[in-house]
Amino acid sequence: MKSAKLICLVILLAFLASTLSAPVASSSQDRIEQRVNALLARMTLEEKLGQLQQLDGEANGNFRPEHLQMARQGLLGSTLNVRGAQKTNQLQRIAVTESRLKIPLIFGFDVIHGYRTIFPIPLGEAASWDPAAAERAAGIAAAEARAAGVHWTFAPMVDIARDPRWGRITEGSGEDPYLGSLMARARVRGFQGSDYSAQDKIVACAKHWVAYGAAEAGRDYNTTDVSERTLREVYFPPFKAAVDAGVGTFMSAFNDLNGVPSSANPFTLTEVLRGEWKFDGFVVSDYTSVEELMKHGLATNGADAAREALSAGVDMEMVSRLYNKHAGELLKDRQLSQQTIDEAVRRILRVKFRLGLFDKPYADEALEPAAIFNSANVAAARDIAARSIVLLKNERQVLPLDKTVRSIALIGPLADSRQDMLGSWNGDGKVEDAVTLLQGIKSKLPQVRINYAKGCEVNSGKTDGFEEALRAARESDVTIIAVGESADMSGEAASRSSLDLPGRQLELVKAVQATGKPIVVVLMNGRPLTINWLAENSPAILETWFGGSQAGNAIADVLFADVNPGGKLPVTFPRAVGQIPLYYNHKNTGRPPDAKNKYTSKYLDVDWRPLFPFGYGLSYTQFKITNLQLSAQRIPLNGKLTVTVEVENTGKRAGDEVVQLYIRDVAASVTRPVKELKGFQRVTLQPGEKKRVEFVLTAEQLGIWNRQMRFTVEPGEFKVMVGANSEDLLETALEVEKR
Ligand code: NOJ
């Protein structure tokens, strides 16, 4: 009898397993939808509007007293900047135990390139051309953040930027939609994993939707005017990649886009995002961007602003409180439908359920200390910072430096500045955690005499430190000079009209170089700089961005060859601000530049070409890329092919090369860029080693948005190019046939 029962039970379980196993994911989503709808049915209008409200905490991570009261009444959906397991739990406890419906809060924070362990600025991380590294960094950031009670990051920032005057270029992956898309996908995966209810994951937010990086004249928050073609070809793709990777939320941007502010733009927020891309998460406004609709001149008053934003598709309002104030009256006046409000609430609740907050609303306070800034995370930060460094110049192999050197002059305002190592948006990073270059070299080479002299400030007119710096250089065998921008010169509201080294730094370099001692320039900056003099006259230049908590150790690793640099520029370095916007994937024009012909597209006073092109970067070893081959010279419209090259390390050290694949659609129904990145691989090769690198190129990757704005592959001739940067390329032809 017993065994018969057991058999029945086994059969029943097997049956259940077979019915449940395949659509587990969708059935759990169905359950979430049921729970969302059941909850929604019980909510009052005030409670619904409460879910749409996000408020800012205090700068130190505390909530405000008012939040307690609002959480108790169910009038608050989320906070930003409140962090720390204990603080978030305290506020959460009120929402979950004292409010009528016990809906948990979602705690958001700008975890941009690390929570407490700070990784390189995102532009630097993109220079690694290593999405796996970006995914790893985001994964660590997520684990630290979740342990500290944070559920939601306002990252990845996936804005394409073609204008380095714009300070926020530091937060993105540079100028290219393909590299940007891969980095977007990697970061979403890193933050969210496959299920962001996991206690070491957080929900991500693709921002700033959209074209925020196209700010006129590079001035932050400025107007943008971008054709639908350029939106679809350049600005949309990293957002689409984030959606495809399952990103849970979006942030609507500050900018006015083609006459309609991004935070009230039904075309981008509803037609494209929800309609075309089927995004089912929620959209949060950027900070007070709903209220700013009045300043834009789109809304005449607060009610108008609330109506415009909510009905366009902005679900949660960050900081301003117009939804709460006006949605009730708008509903009464039939200017807003119940359905619009319900849909916004539904989307927010859906993400809260997906985060598992209803089942596990609290952070584990006991786990927090061990999860944060532990040695494994710190080691990863060092590794990733080193992978992000780009060697721009290395004449006569000045680099790497010899560890047996007797004395080093370390000069420059950034050589020992902890704060600057963290870059902008440094989460909960602590200045005291940051390792400077001075510390990094000291701990690598404790026996070497280091003559440190600041020389000057980053951005001041004073030169009274020069003498000491020159003395240090004269007394040392070799000089390292760390110059660039301070961290606060890039990031939000940090646009510049000049890209030169600020203050007297260039003079300092010139003076030090005049001592005749071997000199290495270490750049730290959040954007491309115009460094023509250095490029021409300094023997060695290392671009290190802002490397994060472990910057100094990582740079020292590269200077002394414990790591061979393999990063590549994710953005073009111009020669002059007047060339901007300058990017590799430009159109050919009817009169492409020709030095011998005046009436072609160029300048009278500056070369049309960049100082350093997109994709550029050297190594301590040398590579040769040869033997470009296609598996087929012709493919059908829906076909694909394999592109192969051989890459060989012809030098004497192991090193990494980033092999890059570009295409050009030679003639199409609309004009096409002269080059478009379509693939890349960072490969490691031992001295003398040769590898075949293979790319699969699908017809989809050859597709374009045609004149009717439909994505299609057009037959005709293509160029396929492979090389070590966007200029030094092997080239062959490919034909896409009509059939
Ligand atoms: C404004 C910034 O534009 C955005 O990127 C950030 O996430 C929010 N402030 C919240 O700090």
Side-chain angles (χ1 to χ4, degrees):
M1 189 60 192
K2 250 188 181 170
S3 65
K5 263 189 185 165
L6 198 66
I7 291 169
C8 286
L9 190 68
V10 170
I11 292 173
L12 183 68
L13 286 176
F15 171 73
L16 284 177
S18 71
T19 52
L20 290 178
S21 62
V24 170
S26 78
S27 75
S28 79
Q29 292 311 317
D30 291 349
R31 266 200 306 280
I32 285 179
E33 291 308 300
Q34 286 160 9
R35 291 177 79 180
V36 167
N37 287 328
L39 187 53
L40 195 62
R42 298 172 59 207
M43 292 171 81
T44 64
L45 179 63
E46 285 67 34
E47 286 164 338
K48 287 178 181 173
L49 299 181
Q51 287 305 306
L52 311 188
Q53 183 68 61
Q54 181 184 59
L55 292 178
D56 198 354
E58 289 171 358
N60 60 8
N62 277 332
F63 50 81
R64 296 176 194 276
E66 172 195 29
H67 298 164
L68 290 171
Q69 187 55 18
M70 291 179 76
R72 193 169 285 124
Q73 295 170 330
L75 300 180
L76 185 63
S78 172
T79 63
L80 71 152
N81 292 326
V82 177
R83 58 192 185 277
Q86 198 240 330
K87 289 175 198 162
T88 53
N89 282 349
Q90 200 184 334
L91 184 55
Q92 187 75 301
R93 199 157 283 122
I94 304 290
V96 168
T97 62
E98 296 187 29
S99 73
R100 189 179 78 90
L101 292 173
K102 312 192 179 333
I103 303 176
L105 300 164
I106 173 171
F107 295 108
F109 187 48
D110 288 283
V111 184
I112 307 297
H113 51 114
Y115 179 76
R116 168 82 182 264
T117 307
I118 303 301
F119 294 88
I121 52 166
L123 186 66
E125 240 175 53
S128 71
W129 290 59
D130 184 358
E135 184 172 339
R136 194 166 154 224
I140 291 170
E144 291 193 349
R146 189 85 184 222
V150 170
H151 311 128
W152 177 24
T153 175
F154 306 122
M157 190 279 216
V158 302
D159 296 316
I160 296 297
R162 291 171 156 183
D163 190 333
R165 291 173 298 184
W166 190 54
R168 302 200 78 170
I169 196 170
T170 189
E171 285 175 64
S173 295
E175 73 189 36
D176 181 61
Y178 180 79
L179 178 61
S181 296
L182 262 59
M183 286 292 168
R185 182 175 75 185
R187 291 189 172 120
V188 170
R189 284 182 178 165
F191 287 130
Q192 295 191 168
S194 56
D195 171 4
Y196 52 77
S197 71
Q199 291 305 296
D200 58 352
K201 293 293 168 198
I202 53 180
V203 62
C205 179
K207 73 183 187 186
H208 305 83
W209 183 239
V210 58
Y212 180 40
E216 272 183 10
R219 215 179 75 219
D220 205 4
Y221 315 120
N222 205 3
T223 304
T224 63
D225 204 286
V226 184
S227 69
E228 185 177 341
R229 166 162 316 287
T230 304
L231 287 175
R232 291 193 182 275
E233 291 180 358
V234 179
Y235 292 96
F236 283 180
F239 287 95
K240 176 65 164 54
V243 171
D244 292 344
V247 72
T249 73
F250 260 54
M251 183 184 290
S252 67
F254 286 127
N255 57 299
D256 177 16
L257 173 64
N258 301 336
V260 184
S262 288
S263 290
N265 196 318
F267 169 63
T268 53
L269 291 162
T270 296
E271 227 179 288
V272 175
L273 185 57
R274 269 76 181 234
E276 289 180 33
W277 298 355
K278 311 290 177 230
F279 170 71
D280 71 352
F282 72 86
V283 177
V284 63
S285 76
D286 203 343
Y287 211 95
T288 62
S289 70
V290 175
E291 190 172 77
E292 288 166 26
L293 295 175
M294 291 189 273
K295 294 217 175 104
H296 276 293
L298 188 87
T300 49
N301 54 38
D304 223 12
R307 182 182 49 77
E308 289 279 359
L310 194 48
S311 56
V314 176
D315 306 305
M316 183 182 276
E317 184 178 3
M318 187 190 285
V319 176
S320 55
R321 305 183 186 204
L322 302 177
Y323 287 8
N324 264 266
K325 199 155 167 212
H326 300 289
E329 82 208 38
L330 289 168
L331 191 63
K332 237 190 279 150
D333 298 347
R334 292 169 187 264
Q335 292 194 53
L336 202 63
S337 71
Q338 184 65 54
Q339 199 196 341
T340 302
I341 296 173
D342 285 357
E343 195 45 43
V345 178
R346 188 175 279 119
R347 291 168 181 151
I348 292 165
L349 292 179
R350 182 180 291 143
V351 170
K352 288 187 175 183
F353 275 108
R354 285 180 182 166
L355 270 164
L357 298 183
F358 288 84
D359 307 317
K360 196 170 184 323
Y362 305 115
D364 188 335
E365 292 175 32
L367 285 186
E368 184 182 16
I372 285 175
F373 202 67
N374 58 36
S375 53
N377 297 359
V378 171
R382 180 174 184 159
D383 182 34
I384 293 169
R387 284 181 87 71
S388 301
I389 291 174
V390 183
L391 178 63
L392 291 176
K393 192 176 173 194
N394 195 18
E395 229 171 51
R396 293 185 305 278
Q397 307 206 324
V398 174
L399 282 173
L401 297 175
D402 197 334
K403 283 184 184 165
T404 62
V405 67
R406 276 170 311 159
S407 56
I408 298 171
L410 181 62
I411 295 172
L414 291 159
D416 193 30
S417 170
R418 285 185 153 157
Q419 175 68 53
D420 290 308
M421 296 309 93
L422 300 182
S424 86
W425 290 114
N426 45 43
D428 208 42
K430 304 276 181 265
V431 171
E432 61 270 22
D433 295 342
V435 177
T436 65
L437 183 53
L438 177 59
Q439 293 168 304
I441 297 177
K442 272 188 181 163
S443 58
K444 186 175 290 290
L445 304 173
Q447 76 291 355
V448 174
R449 203 176 82 228
I450 299 171
N451 298 313
Y452 165 69
K454 193 170 184 183
C456 63
E457 299 298 328
V458 169
N459 196 10
S460 99
K462 293 204 181 124
T463 55
D464 45 358
F466 277 29
E467 214 27 69
E468 192 197 356
L470 294 180
R471 209 175 316 121
R474 283 191 207 104
E475 286 172 4
S476 310
D477 294 342
V478 58
T479 297
I480 301 167
I481 183 159
V483 291
E485 298 178 308
S486 53
D488 61 4
M489 295 181 86
S490 57
E492 188 176 348
S495 294
R496 296 182 63 201
S497 68
S498 158
L499 300 179
D500 291 343
L501 283 176
R504 311 300 285 266
Q505 294 181 92
L506 183 58
E507 279 169 64
L508 177 66
V509 179
K510 286 180 179 173
V512 169
Q513 216 168 292
T515 62
K517 289 293 174 84
I519 179 174
V520 174
V521 177
V522 172
L523 289 174
M524 300 181 186
N525 41 269
R527 56 157 67 78
L529 297 176
T530 43
I531 45 165
N532 303 347
W533 191 90
L534 300 182
E536 204 162 305
N537 301 289
S538 299
I541 308 172
L542 211 52
E543 173 57 80
T544 70
W545 318 103
F546 294 116
S549 312
Q550 283 288 300
N553 283 332
I555 301 168
D557 286 344
V558 170
L559 287 171
F560 296 95
D562 288 326
V563 173
N564 188 351
K568 301 273 182 170
L569 295 179
V571 62
T572 301
F573 272 45
R575 292 167 194 270
V577 166
Q579 293 177 305
I580 294 169
L582 185 69
Y583 45 91
Y584 85 94
N585 48 353
H586 58 82
K587 300 288 181 71
N588 201 35
T589 82
R591 295 186 174 198
D594 173 357
K596 290 190 231 76
N597 185 347
K598 176 172 165 64
Y599 294 97
T600 58
S601 182
K602 53 189 196 297
Y603 298 100
L604 290 177
D605 53 355
V606 67
D607 198 327
W608 71 84
R609 283 167 296 218
L611 186 61
F612 294 108
F614 174 79
Y616 182 81
L618 304 171
S619 166
Y620 295 155
T621 187
Q622 293 80 43
F623 295 98
K624 221 163 81 189
I625 299 179
T626 53
N627 205 8
L628 169 59
Q629 284 188 348
L630 308 185
S631 61
Q633 226 70 47
R634 306 167 146 260
I635 57 165
L637 270 182
N638 60 355
K640 62 177 179 194
L641 74 152
T642 309
V643 181
T644 53
V645 289
E646 282 171 2
V647 52
E648 184 181 356
N649 181 347
T650 57
K652 293 194 180 64
R653 290 171 193 275
D656 287 5
E657 178 59 295
V658 180
V659 183
Q660 304 164 35
L661 166 71
Y662 297 85
I663 61 135
R664 175 172 180 181
D665 189 341
V666 177
S669 62
V670 293
T671 58
R672 304 302 307 151
V674 293
K675 273 160 210 166
E676 295 176 80
L677 183 69
K678 293 292 172 182
F680 61 84
Q681 280 177 42
R682 182 168 172 157
V683 291
T684 303
L685 294 174
Q686 299 306 313
E689 191 183 350
K690 197 186 229 187
K691 266 190 192 160
R692 245 164 78 97
V693 174
E694 202 172 284
F695 300 96
V696 176
L697 195 55
T698 62
E700 163 117 27
Q701 286 173 287
L702 302 173
I704 60 170
W705 293 91
N706 69 11
R707 286 195 205 185
Q708 289 71 42
M709 226 26 106
R710 273 200 302 275
F711 191 77
T712 42
V713 184
E714 293 185 353
E717 189 192 335
F718 288 79
K719 284 182 182 171
V720 176
M721 296 161 272
V722 179
N725 64 62
S726 63
E727 285 187 357
D728 299 321
L729 296 163
L730 304 172
E731 182 182 313
T732 186
L734 168 72
E735 175 85 18
V736 174
E737 295 172 332
K738 278 211 174 80
R739 53 187 181 86

